[in-house]
């Protein structure tokens, strides 16, 4: 088939790669001058299937109430009149129960673990590098309550066959020597040895180049996507700033902007932007810097080593499509990093960035056909885990569009799960 992929972030580019590998003629359209220039540009740098958990957990409502009065809340809701945000929050709260949490987490673990395996194969097949490391991830618990809550997640990891181990503070310091002086801050940690790290922007840019040079994928950058033309049952074309383009099938991978494109077609995609932030700074003391990646469970901040750089990422802000950089979010990133790794990196040289994560209320991405339009496909809504889930999502999508059996169950990842919501 001739396929047009809308969006050149990590999710769109990996989908294009796998579709082209199946023999399809693939064109990718994006408004930016190059691949991975928006949400994929400076994310946390983690490929973390073991850390794949929905925000909609049973304890979330009470946590949010506490955070509203705290100075360094990991999740912030900026008051605004926004019907889409209110509907999304309503659906999020509806998922904040033990039954739905277990279902949603198991779905996320399935696609994320498969995606890591797909990435490992892609890396071996292509030799692609991206400041990548395969040294695992450690989630740091500062309170006994966090340790107790982790027990439920460890049971789900057992069921999913995800390798993990609980660490004492001394064990944590053995894996991450830079935390030795501050190990008294922790009650314990959860190590996920199968998790990885790497620069998402570097990976996506290099994979896009390989897709173009080796598989014949065409990229139209600096091209605004304006609308989809449709009949009652099919997409007829996509209107862009460079004219109308047509194909046999269309894939929407536009992140947080996907629902805006689909809304005129009557498709209600429950994706809302959750704004994340990061700081990228040079390593100044390698002995005190992170070896791989750690997550601070208290501040919801991650610290990742990317070559000679450190990436500090996290927080979530509900404020629509606003891309202004907030000072209080930077303060939270700096606070967590300073408490963990001190002077291992120069905060004064930190490059401050923000991006809009396309989040679903249940945490699971939307991968599959788009309702009544036979030739329209969705691959979006990955939230904070687009880098983690990109390769598996692209592979599942390419297999389904090529009428091949998928290697993992994926029917429950489609938009149909919201039909009765």
């Amino acid at each position: 088939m001739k396929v047009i992929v809308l969006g050149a972030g990590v999710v769109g580019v990996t989908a294009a790669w796998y579709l082209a590998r199946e023999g399809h003629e693939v064109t990718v359209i994006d408004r930016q001058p190059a691949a991975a220039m928006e949400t994929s540009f400076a994310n946390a740098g983690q490929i973390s299937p073991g850390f794949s958990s929905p925000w909609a957990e049973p304890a979330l409502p009470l946590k949010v109430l506490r955070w509203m009065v705290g100075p360094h809340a990991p999740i912030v809701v900026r008051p605004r009149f926004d019907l889409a945000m209110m509907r999304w929050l309503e659906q999020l709260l509806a998922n904040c129960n033990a039954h739905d949490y277990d279902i949603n987490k198991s779905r996320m673990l399935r696609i994320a673990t498969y995606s890591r395996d797909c990435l490992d194969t892609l890396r071996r097949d292509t030799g692609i590098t991206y400041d990548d490391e395969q040294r695992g991830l450690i989630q740091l618990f500062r309170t006994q309550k966090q340790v107790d809550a982790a027990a439920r997640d460890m049971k789900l990891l057992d069921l999913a066959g995800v390798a993990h181990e609980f660490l004492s503070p001394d064990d944590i310091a053995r894996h991450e020597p830079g935390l030795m002086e501050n190990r008294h801050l922790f009650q314990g940690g959860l190590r996920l040895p199968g998790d990885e790290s790497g620069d998402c922007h570097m990976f996506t840019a290099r994979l896009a180049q390989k897709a173009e040079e080796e598989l014949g994928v065409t990229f139209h950058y600096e091209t605004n996507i304006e609308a989809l033309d449709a009949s009652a049952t099919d997409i007829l074309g996509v209107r862009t700033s460079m004219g109308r383009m047509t194909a046999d099938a269309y894939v929407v991978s536009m992140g947080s902007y996907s629902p805006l494109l689909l809304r005129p077609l009557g498709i209600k995609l429950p994706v809302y932007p959750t704004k994340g932030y990061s700081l990228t700074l040079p390593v100044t003391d390698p002995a005190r810097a992170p070896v791989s990646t750690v997550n601070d469970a208290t501040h919801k901040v991650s610290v990742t080593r990317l070559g000679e750089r450190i990436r500090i990422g996290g927080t979530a802000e509900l404020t629509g499509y606003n891309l202004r950089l907030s000072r209080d979010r930077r303060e939270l990133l700096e606070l967590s990093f300073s408490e963990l790794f001190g002077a291992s990196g120069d905060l004064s040289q930190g490059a401050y960035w923000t991006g809009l994560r396309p989040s679903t209320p249940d945490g699971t991405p939307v991968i599959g056909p788009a309702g009544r339009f036979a030739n329209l496909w969705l691959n979006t809504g990955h939230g904070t885990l687009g880098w983690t889930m990109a390769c598996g999502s692209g592979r599942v999508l390419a297999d389904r569009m090529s009428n091949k059996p998928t290697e993992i169950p994926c029917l429950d990842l489609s938009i149909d799960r919201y039909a009765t919501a």
Side-chain angles (χ1 to χ4, degrees):
M1 295 185 297
K2 183 178 179 181
V3 181
I4 290 178
V5 177
L6 304 175
V10 66
V11 171
V13 169
T14 50
W17 171 267
Y18 286 108
L19 285 163
R21 205 183 62 170
E22 289 297 322
H24 302 297
E25 179 186 343
V26 182
T27 297
V28 181
I29 306 173
D30 196 277
R31 64 185 176 185
Q32 295 293 341
M37 296 301 292
E38 295 197 26
T39 303
S40 301
F41 183 73
N43 64 20
Q46 300 177 18
I47 301 98
S48 49
F51 195 62
S52 299
S53 296
W55 287 358
E57 59 173 336
L60 181 67
L62 288 178
K63 285 182 179 180
V64 170
L65 288 175
R66 288 200 305 270
W67 291 334
M68 288 176 67
V69 297
H72 299 296
I75 298 177
V76 175
V77 179
R78 305 291 186 191
R80 55 187 283 117
F81 181 73
D82 185 338
L83 289 176
M85 183 174 77
M86 287 187 277
R87 284 195 297 268
W88 187 87
L89 284 171
E90 181 182 8
Q91 290 177 295
L92 177 79
L93 292 173
N95 278 274
C96 290
N97 60 81
H99 174 74
D100 288 332
Y101 178 83
D102 288 353
I103 291 174
N104 295 332
K105 185 173 177 67
S106 65
R107 287 172 177 163
M108 295 171 74
L109 284 170
R110 185 200 319 149
I111 185 65
T113 303
Y114 176 63
S115 186
R116 182 202 56 209
D117 295 342
C118 290
L119 174 60
D120 290 346
T121 301
L122 189 155
R123 189 171 54 245
R124 289 194 302 269
D125 290 347
T126 64
I128 193 170
T129 59
Y130 42 93
D131 278 345
D132 54 297
E133 294 286 353
Q134 292 78 47
R135 298 193 183 192
L137 174 150
I138 299 175
Q139 187 178 19
L140 303 172
F141 305 126
R142 300 185 188 225
T143 67
Q144 185 59 45
K145 189 173 182 180
Q146 291 171 344
V147 172
D148 295 340
R152 182 184 185 90
D153 280 345
M154 285 188 273
K155 291 178 182 177
L156 293 172
L157 292 173
D158 282 332
L159 292 173
V162 177
H164 61 282
E165 59 178 328
F166 186 81
L167 303 180
S168 69
D170 287 340
D171 294 332
I172 292 170
R174 279 193 288 273
H175 287 284
E176 287 285 353
L179 293 173
M180 178 65 72
E181 294 180 8
N182 297 321
R183 66 188 186 280
H184 64 279
L185 295 174
F186 314 119
Q187 295 295 315
L190 176 63
R191 181 171 181 261
L192 300 156
D195 285 9
E196 304 178 4
S197 59
D199 189 317
C200 181
H201 173 258
M202 187 184 296
F203 169 85
T204 308
R206 291 179 176 178
L207 188 65
Q209 183 178 4
K210 285 181 176 291
E212 188 172 32
E213 295 175 352
E214 299 175 16
L215 300 180
V217 175
T218 299
F219 287 84
H220 291 295
Y221 295 119
E222 299 183 287
T223 303
N224 292 327
I225 298 162
E226 297 171 351
L228 292 170
D229 293 330
S231 68
T233 58
D234 291 284
I235 301 301
L236 304 177
V238 54
R239 278 178 273 154
T240 79
S241 58
M242 299 297 289
R244 190 170 182 269
M245 301 183 192
T246 61
D248 301 308
Y250 303 81
V251 177
V252 177
S253 292
M254 292 171 59
S256 296
Y257 297 90
S258 299
L260 305 185
L261 181 72
L262 296 170
R263 190 177 300 155
L265 302 178
I267 298 173
K268 296 179 180 178
L269 180 66
V271 167
Y272 193 80
T274 53
K275 189 177 177 182
Y277 293 84
S278 75
L279 277 169
T280 306
L281 45 138
V283 173
T284 55
D285 185 351
R288 297 183 65 186
V291 172
S292 181
T293 183
V294 300
N295 283 343
D296 183 346
T298 298
H299 296 307
K300 310 298 184 188
V301 169
S302 65
V303 184
T304 301
R305 181 74 170 266
L306 297 174
E308 297 305 311
R309 300 165 296 148
I310 297 172
R311 175 73 50 77
I312 312 162
T315 89
E317 189 176 26
L318 293 178
T319 181
Y321 292 85
N322 174 2
L323 284 166
R324 287 195 302 271
L325 291 164
S326 298
R327 177 62 206 173
D328 65 329
R329 301 293 87 199
R330 178 168 185 150
E331 290 173 353
L332 177 58
L333 298 178
E334 292 181 347
L335 171 68
S336 179
F337 175 75
S338 297
E339 291 177 345
L340 298 179
F341 291 100
S344 66
D346 188 349
L347 286 169
S348 69
Q349 296 185 47
Y352 191 31
W353 171 90
T354 189
L356 302 177
R357 310 177 185 113
S359 301
T360 61
D362 62 10
T364 311
V366 180
I367 309 168
R372 72 179 189 272
F373 299 103
N375 61 343
L376 181 61
W377 295 79
L378 307 178
N379 188 19
T380 188
H382 295 75
T384 61
L385 296 166
W387 184 199
T388 295
M389 297 180 175
C391 287
S393 300
R395 177 66 188 276
V396 162
L397 183 81
D399 285 345
R400 292 197 68 183
M401 292 180 67
S402 303
N403 293 315
K404 293 175 60 176
T406 58
E407 294 182 329
I408 61 169
C410 60
L411 294 181
D412 58 348
L413 303 177
S414 75
I415 196 172
D416 292 342
R417 70 181 187 270
Y418 292 106
T420 58

